[in-house]
Each structure stands twice: as structure tokens, then as C-alpha cells.
Amino acid sequence: MLSRLPGLSRRLFLGAAGGAALTGLLAACAGGTGGTGDPGDTASAGGGPRTVPASPPGTPKTGGTLRAGSPPPPTAVDPVTMYDGSAIAIVQLVADYLIWLDRDFKLVPRLAERWESEEGGERWVFSLREGVTFSDGTPLDAKAVKATFDRLLDPKSKSAAAAAFDSVLARGGIGVRDDSTVVFTLERAFSDFPYLVSAGNYNAVILKEDYAGDFTARPVGTGPFLLESYDASSGAVFKRNPKYWEPGKPYLDGVRITFYADDQADLLALQSGEIDTQILSRPALVGPLKGLGGTVVDQVQGTGLTAFTLRVDQAPFDRKEVRQAIAYALDRPGVNAGVYDGIGALGNDHLFAALFPAAPPDVPQRAKDPAKVASLLAAAGVERLSFKLTYDPPSKDYALTVQDQLKQVGIEVELDQRTSGDFYGGDQEKDTPWLFTPANLVGWAGRAVPSQFIIPMVKSGGVWNGSKYANPALDAATDAYDSATTDEERRTQAAIIAKALHEDVPVIIAVWSGAVRAYAGDRFTGVSAHPSSYVDFSSVSRL
């Protein structure tokens, strides 16, 4: 039996740290709060952010309201269908997960106290925490957990969470052993399954058995705060949940989120003291604020990425040499500096970030090489390469950087910006731009395990396989990776996958993005960045 102890770090269990997020979609206080948060001291010789001590001195102070700024959610705030950072943050203040995913990708027990696998990883048994109640007084039980995942797996729910379970867990695979025990029977062995029911799968918050939508009107959850009011144009107000299961928390009396129409307005609110922190901080915007007026910019490594996707079934990208040429044309440190304010880590055109335990160390790092670009295009018989690159507004800076860098080696790129609604709209089976244009940029939030990228993005027939790439060897290695029970076997299969993607280049991964969060460090502690821009304000305290 392969068991995973509660809170066991992937670094200990598999030999390294794991990965985490669609794009994150990610100060004067009228009485603060007390907390023991972990902003983390990430100052670096290269000009990294100045941070405050990870824990406040003495006993955490209770009371006060934390004021946060955020973009307005573009769609309804519904735990089942949400996909943007603002909606996710609102729900995470009110509802909770079986397992939280910490900033170092440690699995932290929440509503589940422990979990273990049976049948070689094909069945997983979760034991629920005793004495937890929903905010309306209803006891948490296994039936509510089963209903939550049945709901997410129901095609009618149109939940993004379903893709994470593709080929792993099917509807009907969740059973109730008793009131406090839930059993997941998988379609195949999957040793990382706990990550799929953790906060790493952001829709997987546990809701009441009879949840029927309209969350902001009936916001019942087991989280640290209660949603008092919500206005789609102005913001949301929360107060402390007196029934929260963790004794003494949250320290805050409440949280107030104000919606700002654009990033600049949000930034000005932080600078002026109108808010104390941001839900979604942009590295390039908040970087200059480091250490000014008590502002702290916490940063953390992550596994978010912008996938530069190339259709391998359409000219000119049906030639591997053309795809490789584009990859060799990019100045990756330049992308990191220009788009991510230098906080990211260089990518190498495969889907194993350095944070993932099995990331192969022996794949040569691809770097800009104009001579190589010319020889590859000549080998492909391409005298002049030009193409259209489609993207939505969050990827604009990335697109401009790519256009400029490719122009320097004689490759012409026509930029095709769509609205986010258009880019992700249309028929997902045949014509949505993000999956069917010849070349595009898609922002992916950090994922907890590499399979959450590999299975939907590059496995044959993957639900989000925009490159239309198919490689039977990669498919087999992916299945073997997921069922592996030893570090050695996992590294072996990871090397096969990584080398195939690095050689075939269906997607170019230039940088793995980190994440930042700015906050008033002279008034609060416990605010921290998260790889997926998640919020956990239960430990936030005023100084």
C-alpha cells in the first residue's frame, strides 16, 4: 500500500519540491489583525524584494479589517465554474478544500485529516476532520464531499475542474464508506491524486450536498470568513466565521475587497493607503514599490506559464525544424526580465518546471542562437518565415516581446489580439481561437503536478491540446509516470516526456512565471504570495 501522510511535503515524499495555476488569473488600516503568516524573506543579491519577518513578534493581534484590491470578476462568482483570480479569492475566503496547497506545494490537511492509497494507487481513502460544520450549522460529512465531486464531474456543470480528472476519475467513482470516510476509485493508478482534490484544483472547494448555484446570494461554506455582501461592480465584504474549524482563527474581524477597473487604479489605491494588499499583483507594476513607505512585495517561485503553441498539423509548423528555429530565436532571460520583472525561471520547452521533483537535469538548456535559427530554416526549405500570433490582452506584453525578438532574426510576426471572450469563445471542439489558431499564446496558472499540464495539453487527444501533437511514446510514458511508485521510475519516465517535448517543440515554454503580492508590511503580517495567486487570510494579523 502506498500511503501519503497528512501534510507530507513532496520534497520529502518524492525527493524535491512540487509545482502548482488558467492564468491568475492574480494601506492604512482602520484597525488591523493579528497573525502568524509566512511572508518569507526572499531578498536577493540581484535586487529581490525586501520582506518583513515571517512571523509577528509575540501573540497575534486579533481584530481589524484587511482591505484588498482586485479586478472585478469577469463572470459569476460560482465555485463550480470560476476560473479567474478574483472569483477564486472570494470563494477561498468562504469555502475550504479537503487539502490546501501551500506556497511550497506541501499538501496541508484541511477538511481531510488524512488520506492513503489502496490497490496500488487505484483507490484513495480520505478521512474527514471531525466536528466541522458549514456556516449555516450543517455538519460536514462524506455525502457533501461526494456530491461536490459528482457535481464537478457532471458535464452539465461545465466546470473547468473536470479536465483535471480526465482519464483519472470518472463520475460514479466517488463512494461513501461512512459519515467521515470518502473513497475515490480511479480509472487507473495515479500516485499524485491528492493534488487533484486539493486547492491545486481550484474548483474543488467542498460545498453542501444541496448546492444549486447563486453562491453570492447563498454563500455557505466551511472557510474562515462569511460573505456579508457582494456587488459585481464595487466589491465584497466579509466578516469572521465564528464556526470556523481551526481554533482561534481567523485573527481578522473581516476582509473588504474593492474592485478596480484596471491595474493602475489598483496600484494607486495601494500607494495611497486606500487598500492594504492586492489579490492579483503584477510583478512589473509593483516591483518599483519594494520597500517604499512600508510596502512589501513578497515573491515566490511557481509553475505558471505562457504556452507559445504551434499547430504541428499545419504548415509551416508541420516541420519540426521550423518549430525548433522559433525556439532558438527567443532570448529567454529577456522574456523573463521584460514580462516577469525577472522573478521567473527559464523554461526549456518541456513541461517539467525545476520545482517539480522529477524534472530532468540533463536536458540542455535552449538559448538564443541566430546561426542555429538560420540553419534550421534552411533545412526546412523556408527562405522567409512569417506567421500570425493570436492572443488575448493578458498576454500582450509577452506577444510584443516575442514579435520584437523574432524580428531580430528575420522572422516576421503579425500580432492578432482578441478579447478574452473571443479568444476563449466559440466551439471548444472545432473553432475556439485558443485551441485552433496556427500559433497562439495561452496563459496557464500554476499546476501542482506536471500531469495537469501534460495530459490536457500535449497527450494525444488531450482536451486542451492546441498544438494537435500526438506521440505514442509520450502517451505511454505519461501513464507510467502517473502510476510510478518510486522516485527512480518517475524520473525515468519524466526524462522520456521532457526529451520528446524538447525535441518536437509543440509548445515553447520560455519562462516559468513566479508570483508576487504587495502589501502594507508596516501594518500587517501574514500576507504572502502564492504560486497560483491564491489567498489564505486566516493567519493575517495586524502588527
Side-chain angles (χ1 to χ4, degrees):
M1 178 182 72
L2 172 66
S3 63
R4 184 143 324 163
L5 300 177
L8 183 62
S9 166
R10 283 183 59 83
R11 183 175 286 106
L12 296 176
F13 188 76
L14 294 175
L22 303 198
T23 281
L25 282 176
L26 339 119
C29 173
T33 55
T36 59
D38 180 24
D41 188 352
T42 54
S44 68
R50 178 184 67 83
T51 62
V52 297
S55 299
T59 303
K61 296 179 181 179
T62 58
T65 298
L66 180 74
R67 299 165 302 162
S70 176
T75 57
V77 178
D78 184 342
V80 178
T81 59
M82 64 185 183
Y83 61 83
D84 67 282
S86 299
I88 292 168
I90 290 169
V91 170
Q92 287 176 342
L93 291 173
V94 176
D96 215 338
Y97 298 87
L98 292 176
I99 308 168
W100 181 250
L101 192 68
D102 215 343
R103 59 182 273 147
D104 65 353
F105 301 108
K106 181 175 68 175
L107 293 170
V108 180
R110 284 286 180 89
L111 301 182
E113 284 191 306
R114 59 186 180 276
W115 49 91
E116 61 181 10
S117 69
E118 300 174 347
E119 301 296 326
E122 292 186 7
R123 184 164 62 235
W124 286 85
V125 181
F126 285 71
S127 299
L128 303 183
R129 188 178 299 277
E130 297 289 342
V132 178
T133 62
F134 287 95
S135 53
D136 66 354
T138 303
L140 170 73
D141 61 13
K143 290 182 180 178
V145 176
K146 171 178 166 54
T148 292
F149 289 98
D150 281 342
R151 189 181 300 115
L152 295 177
L153 290 165
D154 186 346
K156 295 179 181 178
S157 75
K158 298 182 179 180
S159 176
F165 296 114
D166 185 39
S167 79
V168 177
L169 177 68
R171 195 178 184 204
I174 306 103
V176 172
R177 184 169 291 178
D178 55 47
D179 285 348
S180 61
T181 309
V182 184
V183 180
F184 294 88
T185 301
L186 311 186
E187 295 186 280
R188 59 188 175 92
F190 199 90
S191 57
D192 275 334
F193 180 73
Y195 284 86
L196 301 189
V197 295
S198 76
N201 193 356
Y202 50 80
N203 298 105
V205 290
I206 305 304
L207 304 173
K208 287 185 62 179
E209 186 177 359
D210 62 356
Y211 176 74
D214 204 4
F215 183 79
T216 53
R218 290 180 289 277
V220 179
T222 60
F225 296 96
L226 307 174
L227 179 61
E228 281 195 297
S229 64
Y230 176 78
D231 186 295
S233 62
S234 61
V237 178
F238 306 81
K239 67 178 181 180
R240 186 180 190 273
N241 179 7
K243 295 185 174 71
Y244 187 52
W245 59 266
E246 190 169 4
K249 291 186 177 181
Y251 302 127
L252 293 167
D253 283 339
V255 174
R256 180 182 295 272
I257 295 178
T258 300
F259 297 150
Y260 293 95
D262 55 56
D263 292 333
Q264 288 293 340
D266 197 347
L267 185 70
L268 288 173
L270 180 68
Q271 290 177 290
S272 68
E274 186 176 307
I275 59 175
D276 308 303
T277 189
Q278 297 176 307
I279 299 300
L280 303 172
S281 292
R282 286 184 58 187
L285 290 180
V286 301
L289 301 183
K290 296 171 185 176
L292 297 179
T295 300
V296 173
V297 181
D298 186 42
Q299 73 180 52
V300 64
Q301 288 188 318
T303 62
L305 61 90
T306 296
F308 186 171
T309 307
L310 304 171
R311 285 281 297 269
V312 303
D313 62 339
Q314 291 187 4
F317 308 122
D318 56 345
R319 292 295 301 267
K320 179 173 65 176
E321 295 87 352
V322 172
R323 304 192 300 270
Q324 290 176 341
I326 296 171
Y328 277 111
L330 293 179
D331 170 15
R332 294 161 199 255
V335 175
N336 189 19
V339 180
Y340 299 108
D341 197 36
I343 70 167
L346 298 189
N348 201 19
D349 304 330
H350 59 70
L351 292 168
F352 287 89
L355 288 176
F356 289 137
D362 58 346
V363 180
Q365 175 62 52
R366 188 164 274 149
K368 183 176 180 178
D369 188 339
K372 187 79 169 177
V373 173
S375 66
L376 286 165
L377 291 179
V382 177
E383 294 184 5
R384 180 177 178 275
L385 178 61
S386 63
F387 62 91
K388 181 183 293 186
L389 181 62
T390 306
Y391 60 95
D392 71 332
S395 295
K396 181 178 180 179
D397 291 345
Y398 201 109
L400 289 169
T401 300
V402 166
Q403 182 188 47
D404 178 65
Q405 291 190 0
L406 268 59
K407 185 177 182 179
Q408 294 175 28
V409 295
I411 300 175
E412 295 295 326
V413 178
E414 177 187 350
L415 298 185
D416 176 27
Q417 179 173 306
R418 312 284 185 92
T419 65
S420 293
D422 179 33
F423 187 65
Y424 291 106
D427 189 329
Q428 301 296 305
E429 299 294 328
K430 63 181 181 181
D431 62 11
T432 182
W434 79 285
L435 293 178
F436 288 93
T437 49
N440 58 61
L441 299 175
V442 178
W444 287 67
R447 298 302 200 256
V449 292
S451 294
Q452 289 180 286
F453 289 123
I454 296 166
I455 292 173
M457 195 192 301
V458 294
K459 196 175 181 185
S460 300
V463 293
W464 294 332
N465 187 336
S467 67
K468 313 311 173 192
Y469 177 68
N471 184 333
L474 179 142
D475 296 346
T478 299
D479 290 342
Y481 177 91
D482 290 338
S483 60
T485 57
T486 68
D487 291 351
E488 181 180 5
E489 176 61 18
R490 183 160 291 208
R491 285 192 293 266
T492 297
Q493 301 304 328
I496 295 172
I497 298 167
K499 290 175 182 177
L501 292 174
H502 185 269
E503 172 69 17
D504 294 340
V505 205
V507 291
I508 296 173
I509 311 299
V511 178
W512 294 92
S513 61
V516 298
R517 179 165 286 129
Y519 68 98
D522 55 348
R523 286 184 291 276
F524 287 92
T525 187
V527 180
S528 62
H530 189 281
S532 294
S533 297
Y534 291 165
V535 297
D536 180 4
F537 292 158
S538 65
S539 295
V540 173
S541 164
R542 62 186 176 92
L543 289 173

